[in-house]
Amino acid sequence: MRPDDSSVHVTGAVGAASLPLPTNLRNLSGHARRWPTVTAVIPTLNEVENLRWLLPRLTAVDEIVIVDGESTDGTVEYVLTVRPDAKVIVEPPTGKGSAMRTGMAAATGEMIIMLDADGSMDPAEFDSFLALLCRGYDFVKGTRYGCGGGSDDLTGLRRAGNSALTWLANRLYRQNWSDLCYGYVAMRRDAVDRLRLESTGFEIETEMCVNAVRAGLRIAEVPSHETERRHGESNLNTWRDGWRVLRTMVRLRFRGPLEPAAGPAAGPAVRPHPAEPVQLDWQAAAFSRTGTE
């Protein structure tokens, strides 16, 4: 998939180097070409029935990190039976954001894919996300509104709320996102520290997006189809979590850009193909709009 394909929307700052593509292993599609090492991070809380569908489909990842919120339905026991190689972390159920941050910190793969345990996100779509990371993008987010995407799960209220929040995020951060509140995300592991994530709940999906802009990461959207949760009830609360998303995006807008973490001086950035479309970086675009430079 080419980043300038009409189904791929690209934003962010230029400067990421492409990752090498080893050729001695197989990927999801069975081809000889293989991505660099990949970690799947999955927060769980009483999801054993959904994991019966999901885990057998994670054959192409190098590492699985399960962050479990003290499930009582045998989730951890099932994971270790089916995937004894999985890294399982059990912690109190303080929220999706807390679990995702724990999982990202524990990941060792060069690329990290975040997905829900409820079976609504299809691992067959991994290739679309990983291809763009290999082309030099730092952060790739799924969209249910791109060509080929969709959702069987969104209610009318949630769809309207997501559209309104996405519109506001685009105004605040000078982006052209089509879907803000969707947690199917892939990123380079070296981007995790640059995101400076703090959220504990569902608003972490928004915090990842806006902090990727604030950190000057190169961002792309790819189409994704969300199915209904396969078993059980979602912990999402439309009004409560919608308010937390709104508060997060507005609060972070006025904190300014994220400075790079202190560390060894980085070498010169390798730019992708010059024909690839990009937007202005965070300071040039978002701050020039308000005159707060």
Side-chain angles (χ1 to χ4, degrees):
M1 180 179 292
R2 293 169 50 90
D4 55 353
D5 189 283
S6 61
S7 65
V8 178
H9 176 67
V10 178
T11 65
V14 180
S18 296
L19 291 169
L21 288 172
T23 58
N24 58 340
L25 297 171
R26 293 190 309 167
N27 65 7
L28 277 171
S29 58
H31 298 158
R33 199 169 91 167
R34 168 72 187 200
W35 313 114
T37 55
V38 179
T39 297
V41 175
I42 309 171
T44 60
L45 179 59
N46 295 323
E47 298 284 7
V48 65
E49 293 301 324
N50 294 314
L51 291 176
R52 295 185 196 282
W53 178 89
L54 179 60
L55 287 184
R57 289 167 170 78
L58 297 179
T59 57
V61 300
D62 303 279
E63 179 180 57
I64 298 174
V65 176
I66 301 289
V67 184
D68 185 72
E70 300 180 343
S71 293
T72 59
D73 68 343
T75 289
V76 171
E77 293 79 5
Y78 175 76
V79 170
L80 293 177
T81 298
V82 176
R83 292 296 300 256
D85 59 325
K87 184 182 296 185
V88 178
I89 303 168
V90 179
E91 62 180 24
T94 55
K96 182 179 181 179
S98 297
M100 288 174 64
R101 287 161 45 211
T102 297
M104 285 186 274
T108 62
E110 296 167 84
M111 300 175 173
I112 299 173
I113 293 184
M114 311 295 305
L115 69 161
D116 293 344
D118 61 7
S120 63
M121 300 168 180
D122 192 347
E125 297 178 354
F126 280 5
D127 283 8
S128 300
F129 291 80
L130 299 175
L132 289 172
L133 292 180
C134 286
R135 289 295 302 273
Y137 298 100
D138 303 298
F139 184 88
V140 181
K141 58 189 294 294
T143 173
R144 294 162 290 186
Y145 299 101
C147 180
S151 176
D152 303 326
D153 187 56
L154 281 173
T155 63
L157 177 60
R158 288 176 55 203
R159 189 181 299 274
N162 186 32
S163 296
L165 291 168
T166 302
W167 178 89
L168 179 59
N170 286 334
R171 304 289 82 72
L172 290 175
Y173 293 91
R174 295 296 295 271
Q175 301 299 301
N176 290 306
W177 294 324
S178 60
D179 194 356
L180 180 68
C181 304
Y182 188 44
Y184 204 168
V185 169
M187 69 186 78
R188 297 172 181 240
R189 184 162 59 89
D190 58 16
V192 173
D193 289 340
R194 298 171 65 186
L195 291 176
R196 313 273 187 87
L197 299 173
E198 300 175 350
S199 295
T200 60
F202 283 93
E203 73 277 6
I204 195 170
E205 297 166 359
T206 297
E207 186 186 24
M208 285 193 296
C209 293
V210 301
N211 277 6
V213 177
R214 296 174 64 218
L217 303 185
R218 298 192 70 246
I219 307 167
E221 273 191 335
V222 293
S224 174
H225 188 94
E226 175 189 41
T227 65
E228 292 182 342
R229 161 181 277 272
R230 295 178 183 275
H231 298 277
E233 298 293 329
S234 173
N235 292 315
L236 177 70
N237 181 291
T238 302
W239 292 106
R240 178 198 64 203
D241 294 310
W243 168 248
R244 294 179 70 162
V245 166
L246 175 61
R247 184 175 58 188
T248 296
M249 78 165 77
V250 173
R251 173 174 52 86
L252 295 177
R253 171 62 181 84
F254 297 103
R255 286 192 177 182
L258 284 172
E259 298 298 331
V270 179
R271 294 178 179 269
H273 192 284
E276 294 176 4
V278 296
Q279 292 189 347
L280 295 174
D281 62 27
W282 161 256
Q283 285 180 293
F287 274 28
S288 64
R289 182 185 179 111
T290 60
T292 56
E293 298 183 90

